[in-house]
Amino acid sequence: MMTVTSSSIDFAGKNLVYCGCSSNASFDRYTVRNYQKLNSKGCGARKSICCKRKSTQCKVSSMKTAEPALNGGTQAIKGLTGRLDLKSSSSETPISPARLFEVVADDLLTLNKNLQSIVGAENPVLMSAAEQIFSAGGKRMRPALVFLVSRATAELLGLKELTLKHRRLAEIIEMIHTASLIHDDVLDESDLRRGKETVHQLFGTRVAVLAGDFMFAQSSWYLANLENIEVIKLISQVIKDFASGEIKQASSLFDCDVQLEEYLIKSYYKTASLIAASTKGAAIFSGADHSITEKMYEYGKNLGLSFQVVDDILDFTQSAEQLGKPAGTDLAKGNLTAPVIFALEKEPKLRDIIESEFSETGSLDEAITLVKSCGGIERAQELAKEKADLAIQSLQCLPQSVFRLALEDMVTYNLQRIA
């Protein structure tokens, strides 16, 4: 059993008292999110906000032990919050990235100001290449997760403000992510990224590769200067994982015998590894103990896997305008994702079409139709939800706060993209 003890938690220096309720109870989200508005109007009194369940209200106490993380995956989580059902998610008010990150908005503003100087203004070509992708509409999800976990775990240790290492970690993570996107676009020969021309389209393949290499090198230099061997090993492994993921993907194109487990390993390497390292690294710099840092790693890993599965679903269900790239791009290139793997179990004809590498006119459209009609989308949705459930379970070790709520909402936001 993991124990969380607290008498009062000062949320980022604001006068808000943690009620001490069991950490698997749900906050009254309306009350929490409107606290800052009330406080800004001159409400100087300290406020005690108590967690609410469906029919009862927890009593305020100075100390409480968190209940153990639930087992049983999807069914257990339904009983816990009732928020991760795909059908009910569609009826909820959609969560926007701006709303998700409003509690760390100032942190993200500082990050945006620092990114250019960190990339290095001495090389105008590299700077322009980085600017192209920094300004392409990214949501800064990974650094936002660093800030959210940093603040959520800092409360456990009584820290009132983030350290320079927290902030530098967020900047390093965003640089590594950006470098990986530049290289991915080169490898995939993609012309568009979020609806804008890719770096290699604008500056050529050579500059794009060098820009990505430079950003990996620059981030590694800043990483070494953090002087924390555990985080250095953690993030260095991510860069290795990127390469492993690309190799795995390249070696399994048009392979209809690829297994779901292989797909998940590749997805971990290409997407979830960085997110897991982001969340664990943030907890390490807060000084959290090993059990907490491992839970934050599990949160990031499962959130990352869920995000990748959702992205792979959207490749079949959204238009080219919504995706910012042609629909069915992964399948057309032979990259078989979760919806295809599930559909292949039911439709032999799909195997024939894929193994022919879409040699016949209209065969790609036919394959997309088969994936949709054979239940591939629905089963992939359940996989995304399964990973989302595991991510939510990993947050049970944290005290209730606006930052934990945002981490939970990140999971819901991801599922709402396919609800």
Side-chain angles (χ1 to χ4, degrees):
M1 178 181 292
M2 187 172 299
T3 302
V4 178
T5 303
S6 176
S7 57
S8 68
I9 303 292
D10 191 339
F11 291 170
K14 295 181 171 59
N15 294 324
L16 184 61
V17 181
Y18 171 49
C19 73
C21 298
S22 175
S23 70
N24 71 347
S26 296
F27 252 174
D28 181 335
R29 292 169 181 267
Y30 178 84
T31 304
V32 173
R33 284 179 179 142
N34 280 277
Y35 172 76
Q36 287 179 306
K37 295 180 181 178
L38 291 170
N39 198 47
S40 66
K41 292 180 180 179
C43 182
R46 295 173 64 84
K47 297 186 179 293
S48 178
I49 296 179
C50 193
C51 308
K52 292 183 180 179
R53 300 189 182 186
K54 289 184 178 179
S55 58
T56 61
Q57 188 170 7
C58 305
K59 294 180 180 179
V60 176
S61 65
S62 62
M63 185 178 296
K64 192 71 177 182
T65 300
E67 295 180 15
L70 297 177
N71 296 318
T74 299
Q75 295 303 318
I77 285 295
K78 283 182 180 177
L80 174 63
T81 65
R83 298 181 62 249
L84 292 186
D85 181 73
L86 285 169
K87 293 181 179 178
S88 66
S89 291
S90 62
S91 63
E92 292 181 8
T93 302
I95 299 173
S96 68
R99 175 181 144 194
L100 272 176
F101 304 149
E102 61 187 356
V103 293
V104 290
D106 290 342
D107 295 325
L108 289 172
L109 281 175
T110 301
L111 174 127
N112 288 335
K113 292 176 182 176
N114 289 344
L115 278 175
Q116 288 189 2
S117 60
I118 290 176
V119 170
E122 72 276 2
N123 193 314
V125 175
L126 289 175
M127 194 64 198
S128 297
E131 265 296 293
Q132 171 65 10
I133 201 161
F134 281 147
S135 64
K139 294 181 283 291
R140 299 284 193 268
M141 183 188 83
R142 288 154 189 82
L145 284 171
V146 171
F147 292 133
L148 289 171
V149 172
S150 295
R151 291 194 176 278
T153 53
E155 291 179 346
L156 289 170
L157 283 300
L159 300 179
K160 302 298 182 182
E161 190 48 72
L162 300 188
T163 67
L164 177 61
K165 289 186 176 183
H166 283 124
R167 298 189 182 281
R168 186 47 51 89
L169 175 65
E171 294 156 1
I172 289 168
I173 293 298
E174 184 64 4
M175 274 199 297
I176 291 174
H177 175 57
T178 301
S180 73
L181 293 183
I182 293 172
H183 281 180
D184 280 352
D185 288 338
V186 172
L187 291 170
D188 297 339
E189 299 179 346
S190 301
D191 297 333
L192 296 174
R193 163 71 60 179
R194 303 184 187 116
K196 291 190 175 185
E197 284 187 292
T198 54
V199 172
H200 72 88
Q201 276 291 102
L202 286 175
F203 302 98
T205 298
R206 183 178 181 183
V207 170
V209 171
L210 291 173
D213 288 348
F214 177 83
M215 294 186 73
F216 276 130
Q218 190 80 324
S219 61
S220 297
W221 188 85
Y222 279 104
L223 177 63
N225 279 274
L226 292 178
E227 297 182 344
N228 183 299
I229 192 64
E230 186 176 5
V231 175
I232 290 171
K233 288 181 177 180
L234 187 67
I235 306 301
S236 297
Q237 180 66 43
V238 170
I239 299 175
K240 175 186 173 184
D241 288 344
F242 281 151
S244 296
E246 289 295 344
I247 292 169
K248 278 187 173 294
Q249 181 169 299
S251 62
S252 61
L253 296 179
F254 298 103
D255 180 6
C256 293
D257 293 318
V258 65
Q259 299 297 304
L260 181 64
E261 187 62 29
E262 296 174 82
Y263 161 79
L264 289 173
I265 292 172
K266 182 201 71 176
S267 297
Y268 171 78
Y269 285 155
K270 287 175 63 66
T271 301
S273 176
L274 179 60
I275 297 176
S278 303
T279 50
K280 181 177 181 178
I284 290 171
F285 283 138
S286 292
D289 64 36
H290 178 74
S291 62
I292 300 293
T293 62
E294 285 305 305
K295 287 293 184 182
M296 293 304 96
Y297 176 86
E298 289 297 315
Y299 169 80
K301 180 186 77 173
N302 286 299
L303 175 63
L305 289 173
S306 184
F307 254 92
Q308 185 59 59
V309 175
V310 168
D311 278 347
D312 293 339
I313 292 169
L314 294 177
D315 195 46
F316 288 93
T317 60
Q318 285 194 335
S319 66
E321 290 74 20
Q322 291 172 307
L323 290 169
K325 61 180 181 179
T329 296
D330 283 331
L331 180 56
K333 294 177 179 177
N335 180 24
L336 308 191
T337 57
V340 181
I341 293 170
F342 287 128
L344 279 167
E345 295 176 6
K346 292 188 175 182
E347 181 51 74
K349 186 178 180 181
L350 182 58
R351 172 184 286 267
D352 295 335
I353 297 173
I354 293 173
E355 288 181 343
S356 74
E357 299 188 13
F358 311 111
S359 56
E360 296 184 14
T361 303
S363 58
L364 176 60
D365 291 335
E366 184 180 3
I368 292 173
T369 299
L370 288 173
V371 170
K372 292 179 178 179
S373 64
C374 291
I377 301 298
E378 289 76 14
R379 290 186 64 188
Q381 287 176 328
E382 283 304 309
L383 177 61
K385 184 175 179 299
E386 176 188 325
K387 298 304 178 184
D389 292 340
L390 293 173
I392 286 289
Q393 288 185 49
S394 298
L395 296 175
Q396 302 309 299
C397 63
L398 298 177
Q400 288 284 7
S401 71
V402 290
F403 308 113
R404 174 175 157 178
L405 290 179
L407 291 168
E408 292 174 353
D409 279 349
M410 176 71 79
V411 180
T412 302
Y413 161 75
N414 179 49
L415 293 184
Q416 282 185 344
R417 297 194 294 152
I418 52 172

